[in-house]
Amino acid sequence: MQQTATPQAAASSSAKARFTSPFDITTPEGAEGWQELYPYYALISPERREMEDEKLWFFDGMHSPAPLYPFDTIMTENWWVAASQMSNRVWPIPLALGIDHRIINGYLYISPNAVTDPDEVAKRAEHFNARAGHYYENWDTIYDEWVTKARDCIERLKVIEFKPLPELVPDEQVFGHRGLYSSHDLLTAYNTLIQNMLEMGSYHFEMLNLGYGAYLTFREFCQEAFPGISDQTITHMVSGIDILLFRPDDEVRGLAELAVELGLDEVVLANESPEVMLAAIGAAPNGDKWLAAYEEAREPWFWFSTGVGYTHEDPVWMNDPRLPFTALRGYIKALKSGDDIRRPLDEILDKRTQVTAEYRELLPTEDDREAFDGLVELARKVYPFVEDHNFYVEHWHHSLFWEKVRELGDLFVAHNFFDDREDVFYLHRHEIYDALYDVLIGWAVGTPPRGEVYWRPLIARRKQIRDTLCRWSPPPALGVPPETITEPLTIMLWGITPETIDEWLGVDATADGELRGVAASPGKVTGRARVITDFAQLYDIEDGEILVCRITAPSWAPVFQRVAAAVSDVGGMMAHTAIISREYGLPAVVGTGFATTSITNGDLIEVDGNEGIVRVLDKEA
């Protein structure tokens, strides 16, 4: 592999301008003491002011759009290490180090670190080329191994159990002379749960950074070979993929077709509630056949979070099937109207073939064409993993993980530490261990544990603080923009480029008019805005509206059958909003920074996915 496998550094024309200092951010009234919810190492600190005040910190609304729950920080802390170690210590990427994290007023801000010393870049490139080259050359085999590891991690997660401690330890633990009892089993189960989470986090990034790196290599080649080529044109050459994240939606389409085939379509359309609908189907002729197919589709495809899986609050299809059942009804209506409910995959593939051939023909030499062929083939090979890993990790695994944490919450309720299982999320994972040991002490000794009176007022205080923080609007960026941006996830996933920073620096978030972002999917449409800041608002979407959100989730795919375009606050060319929009043939602009705060429901807006511009044409009164 050559050093061109890393993204080319790009200079920011606004390097001397700056955003608000993170040290100048004030605490909202009523949220004083919010820092107690999070570990010391995740906070902006006066001891490191010289370093922290001179970095760019941008809001990670993609993974953590709301104030973090203390326990949920395990997800952000997980990738803080896992993603960064891959870029910095495992490959290592010549121009990029890790991605630093800080929590500010409960919201996650992140900052990529860069390598600027030429000698260090060359030294890292030597290691990167050898290690990345091995993975690229053996990609299919390594990916098969990865799936096996991920599935095994999920199966081991499934068997972890949390049960209240018994009055007496079971006879088999005594007469079996095991010497280890319920106290040991409880702590082991908790440690295993946390280790399982961190293990999957490591698998998460084993191949992901290389996936982005391969695409960036192809992008860099195209930008040098075809000056002025747009990112959209480049993505046309790798679009049209069959990825796992479309499989849950495909399963719902299949269930819609089966319902029509079995004559159950009117039963489905007559009942909006999933529970009532399922009961009505069960009582109808051929209902047993449909229900059998439904149960087969649910495992594992309904382990699909309505968010990105990084917070326990996001409903999961398995436990809350309202979204897939809403899509089911929509697909049945479309089928009865004679519409094609499939993704326009053939059109996308035709476009891919056409664009690839046209640009290949423009290359002057056979060597150039050979290099182009190799890079586009590699980009297409690794591209599916960039999305497929999400189903195994953020959706299937993490959804199961949150259920296990809730079982742990039930244990604390049973031992009179909490009033509700959901209270467990107001403790950091390190505090959970202390609370569990308090449970064990009270159980072993027979003295009421302090946790019975200690945790309730603390949890009540933390709830009030977080509720207050939810009403604060985090700015898209803080601190000082860097001269270069070279970290691949920052560019491709979050869409943070010098142009993005320049746009944010010049935007008045309260002004009407025009927003600029990444031109993620081509086309231009005009329509009424539907602003989504909470999952429950998805059910308010009407056909033909333009989706405006912080970021979409893969499980929102059924919604893309109804909307005319998509706009998001965050994201780059490889964000879910961008990928789903391209695969559904919808115009999209991502990474606008301010869409959800400057656009309101009902505004007439124009989305120009060719230029990356969103215009407010008429404000709703």
Side-chain angles (χ1 to χ4, degrees):
M1 301 294 294
Q2 299 300 313
Q3 189 178 329
T4 52
T6 61
Q8 184 178 13
S12 171
S13 62
S14 296
K16 293 184 178 180
R18 69 165 299 154
F19 297 97
T20 302
S21 167
F23 291 90
D24 290 339
I25 296 296
T26 58
T27 296
E29 185 178 353
E32 293 80 8
W34 64 265
Q35 294 88 345
E36 73 181 52
L37 278 66
Y38 310 108
Y40 75 93
Y41 47 81
L43 304 175
I44 290 287
S45 56
E47 301 89 349
R48 298 186 290 183
R49 178 166 188 147
E50 183 177 355
M51 178 269 291
E52 292 176 328
D53 195 34
E54 294 301 313
K55 289 173 63 68
L56 171 71
W57 300 96
F58 64 90
F59 171 45
D60 184 16
M62 177 175 294
H63 296 107
S64 304
L68 291 163
Y69 286 85
F71 191 90
D72 293 13
T73 60
I74 187 174
M75 297 297 183
T76 60
E77 292 174 37
N78 188 349
W79 78 261
W80 191 355
V81 172
S84 297
Q85 74 180 0
M86 299 308 297
S87 295
N88 190 20
R89 306 295 181 182
V90 177
W91 300 123
I93 295 176
L95 294 170
L97 298 172
I99 302 176
D100 214 350
H101 289 204
R102 294 294 184 272
I103 298 174
I104 300 173
N105 278 349
Y107 292 84
L108 179 63
Y109 280 79
I110 59 179
S111 178
N113 289 338
V115 182
T116 56
D117 178 63
D119 292 336
E120 183 65 18
V121 169
K123 178 181 176 182
R124 292 169 67 88
E126 182 178 352
H127 292 293
F128 174 81
N129 290 335
R131 296 181 177 193
H134 169 76
Y135 263 70
Y136 288 143
E137 291 165 11
N138 299 279
W139 189 269
D140 291 339
T141 298
I142 296 173
Y143 181 43
D144 288 342
E145 294 172 351
W146 185 94
V147 171
T148 299
K149 291 183 294 191
R151 284 181 171 272
D152 177 65
C153 189
I154 290 169
E155 292 304 316
R156 286 184 279 114
L157 174 62
K158 288 179 181 179
V159 300
I160 298 173
E161 291 185 326
F162 294 102
K163 297 179 178 179
L165 295 167
E167 181 66 25
L168 292 175
V169 298
D171 286 347
E172 58 267 23
Q173 291 185 1
V174 178
F175 297 114
H177 314 148
R178 180 168 170 245
L180 298 173
Y181 306 103
S182 301
S183 58
H184 177 272
D185 292 343
L186 176 56
L187 292 182
T188 298
Y190 181 64
N191 287 333
T192 302
L193 177 71
I194 299 303
Q195 290 168 2
N196 184 277
M197 178 67 242
L198 299 178
E199 178 185 344
M200 184 58 91
S202 187
Y203 295 150
H204 185 171
F205 295 97
E206 180 185 359
M207 304 173 75
L208 182 60
N209 295 23
L210 290 183
Y212 288 118
Y215 182 85
L216 280 170
T217 303
F218 176 57
R219 176 176 179 259
E220 183 182 277
F221 177 94
C222 290
Q223 289 174 333
E224 292 179 356
F226 316 113
I229 189 173
S230 69
D231 276 331
Q232 275 189 9
T233 301
I234 298 171
T235 58
H236 278 315
M237 298 189 224
V238 298
S239 296
I241 55 176
D242 187 15
I243 57 176
L244 286 181
L245 285 181
F246 292 127
R247 179 67 182 272
D249 190 31
D250 289 342
E251 292 291 331
V252 176
R253 296 168 199 261
L255 290 171
E257 292 171 341
L258 182 61
V260 173
E261 177 185 330
L262 296 175
L264 298 168
D265 46 303
E266 294 301 331
V267 176
V268 173
L269 294 177
N271 298 280
E272 293 189 10
S273 164
E275 295 79 11
V276 175
M277 185 189 301
L278 288 172
I281 290 174
N286 294 321
D288 57 333
K289 296 179 181 178
W290 191 92
L291 290 176
Y294 171 65
E295 288 302 320
E296 185 176 352
R298 291 178 75 230
E299 187 65 53
W301 305 114
F302 275 36
W303 287 112
F304 210 30
S305 173
T306 58
V308 293
Y310 276 44
T311 174
H312 73 276
E313 277 194 308
D314 295 326
V316 177
W317 283 17
M318 185 66 76
N319 303 323
D320 184 354
R322 288 177 296 163
L323 183 57
F325 273 56
T326 299
L328 176 70
R329 291 164 52 83
Y331 289 144
I332 288 177
K333 290 178 182 177
L335 287 169
K336 290 171 69 68
S337 298
D339 297 334
D340 188 351
I341 64 173
R342 296 172 299 175
R343 281 188 296 130
L345 188 58
D346 291 341
E347 298 174 21
I348 295 170
L349 289 173
D350 289 343
K351 183 72 171 180
R352 181 175 85 173
T353 301
Q354 171 197 338
V355 172
T356 304
E358 288 176 354
Y359 277 87
R360 186 183 188 277
E361 193 64 29
L362 295 175
L363 293 167
T365 69
E366 189 58 37
D367 287 344
D368 289 333
R369 286 188 284 273
E370 184 177 337
F372 175 84
D373 292 343
L375 289 173
V376 73
E377 180 183 359
L378 179 61
R380 290 173 181 174
K381 177 182 289 187
V382 305
Y383 189 57
F385 178 83
V386 170
E387 286 299 289
D388 281 357
H389 82 278
N390 275 280
F391 181 75
Y392 290 104
V393 181
E394 285 102 323
H395 294 276
W396 194 0
H397 180 276
H398 290 2
S399 295
L400 284 166
F401 174 78
W402 295 128
E403 289 304 299
K404 295 298 178 180
V405 178
R406 288 186 171 92
E407 290 179 16
L408 180 60
D410 289 335
L411 182 146
F412 281 113
V413 171
H415 285 277
N416 198 31
F417 274 45
F418 302 160
D419 292 323
D420 188 280
R421 66 188 322 208
E422 299 293 315
D423 291 347
V424 70
F425 296 108
Y426 287 93
L427 277 66
H428 189 270
R429 69 179 186 279
H430 299 318
E431 294 177 314
I432 292 288
Y433 194 95
D434 289 343
L436 283 175
Y437 215 84
D438 192 10
V439 169
L440 296 181
I441 291 171
W443 174 77
V445 176
T447 300
R450 186 185 179 195
E452 293 183 359
V453 296
Y454 178 81
W455 288 112
R456 284 184 175 87
L458 189 148
I459 290 170
R461 167 67 179 157
R462 291 182 176 183
K463 286 181 179 179
Q464 181 266 318
I465 288 175
R466 188 182 176 279
D467 288 345
T468 300
L469 294 176
C470 284
R471 296 189 290 272
W472 183 71
S473 295
L478 302 168
V480 180
E483 294 185 1
T484 60
I485 299 174
T486 57
E487 203 286 319
L489 273 74
T490 302
I491 298 170
M492 299 310 301
L493 188 59
W494 286 283
I496 306 299
T497 65
E499 293 76 20
T500 304
I501 292 171
D502 288 345
E503 181 66 24
W504 287 353
L505 283 168
V507 167
D508 178 359
T510 65
D512 298 337
E514 186 174 287
L515 290 172
R516 289 184 176 270
V518 176
S521 186
K524 181 189 290 187
V525 299
T526 299
R528 295 292 176 182
R530 175 62 64 177
V531 182
I532 302 295
T533 56
D534 182 84
F535 164 74
Q537 297 167 334
L538 285 174
Y539 301 109
D540 298 330
I541 291 177
E542 297 182 6
D543 292 347
E545 291 184 323
I546 294 175
L547 174 65
V548 179
C549 59
R550 289 175 176 169
I551 190 69
T552 64
S555 61
W556 293 16
V559 172
F560 281 72
Q561 289 283 339
R562 305 183 61 193
V563 299
V567 178
S568 69
D569 288 346
V570 296
M573 292 302 293
M574 291 298 167
H576 297 133
T577 309
I579 292 174
I580 293 178
S581 295
R582 290 194 294 267
E583 297 297 326
Y584 280 85
L586 297 176
V589 178
V590 302
T592 62
F594 306 95
T596 58
T597 55
S598 60
I599 297 173
T600 56
N601 274 333
D603 287 355
L604 183 66
I605 63 174
E606 178 188 76
V607 177
D608 187 343
N610 303 311
E611 300 296 330
I613 300 174
V614 181
R615 298 181 178 90
V616 178
L617 305 178
D618 182 33
K619 293 292 291 183
E620 179 73 3

